[in-house]
């Protein structure tokens, strides 16, 4: 059983930067695909970024490409989402997710992940 705990959300202004963290209960980043999703009020959960070291894959959603960066620190069992040049459309609850058996074509689908954090709120104010 993998436990994920997010932190780092908050209220920021348009154009600001923010880094989210997600700490795992064990050393999972070598063999698990790890991802970030977000959900705005009244909208479906949206893919943000995924990283799979085993498959050598890093991908970003179109809405965040060039502004967000996913990374991991194996020594700290922690993954990060560095978010730059935030805009109001980035507002939402951000979730980290992990899965050990997910296939490449399913990495962008939130329903394919077995393990989830509790979510952290990001509000971007104009």
């Amino acid at each position: 059983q993998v436990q994920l705990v997010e932190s780092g959300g908050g209220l920021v202004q348009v154009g600001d930067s923010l880094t989210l963290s997600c700490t795992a209960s064990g050393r999972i980043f070598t063999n698990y695909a790890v991802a970030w999703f977000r959900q705005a009020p009244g909208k479906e959960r949206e893919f943000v970024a995924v990283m799979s070291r085993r498959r050598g894959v890093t991908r970003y959603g179109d809405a965040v490409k060039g502004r967000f960066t996913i990374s991991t620190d194996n020594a700290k069992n922690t993954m990060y989402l560095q978010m730059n040049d935030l805009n109001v459309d980035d507002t939402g609850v951000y979730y980290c997710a992990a899965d050990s058996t997910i296939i490449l074509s399913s990495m962008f689908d939130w329903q394919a992940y077995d393990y989830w954090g509790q979510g952290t709120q990001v509000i971007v104010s104009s």
Side-chain angles (χ1 to χ4, degrees), residues 6-26:
E6 297 119 337
S7 61
L11 173 64
V12 295
Q13 301 294 314
V14 169
D16 283 353
S17 296
L18 193 65
T19 300
L20 306 181
S21 301
C22 174
T23 300
S25 56

Side-chain angles (χ1 to χ4, degrees), residues 3-5 17-19 29 32 34 36 39 41 46 53 64-66 68 71 83 90 94-95 97 101 104 107 109 119:
Q3 295 182 329
L4 303 172
V5 179
S17 296
L18 193 65
T19 300
F29 299 127
Y32 281 62
V34 291
W36 289 94
Q39 190 164 17
E46 177 188 19
R53 294 196 181 279
V64 307
K65 202 172 297 183
F68 290 13
S71 63
M83 306 185 293
D90 295 318
Y94 283 70
Y95 299 90
T101 62
L104 183 60
M107 285 185 179
D109 181 0

Side-chain angles (χ1 to χ4, degrees), residues 64-125:
V64 307
K65 202 172 297 183
R67 300 186 298 123
F68 290 13
T69 303
I70 186 172
S71 63
T72 61
D73 185 333
N74 287 350
K76 296 182 178 180
N77 295 338
T78 300
M79 61 188 284
Y80 303 96
L81 185 68
Q82 172 68 42
M83 306 185 293
N84 298 327
D85 192 22
L86 286 161
N87 59 61
V88 294
D89 292 332
D90 295 318
T91 294
V93 178
Y94 283 70
Y95 299 90
C96 60
D99 197 279
S100 63
T101 62
I102 197 167
I103 60 176
L104 183 60
S105 60
S106 297
M107 285 185 179
F108 317 113
D109 181 0
W110 68 269
Q111 297 180 83
Y113 288 81
D114 284 340
Y115 303 107
W116 289 87
Q118 81 284 1
T120 186
Q121 177 78 56
V122 173
I123 300 173
V124 184
S125 173

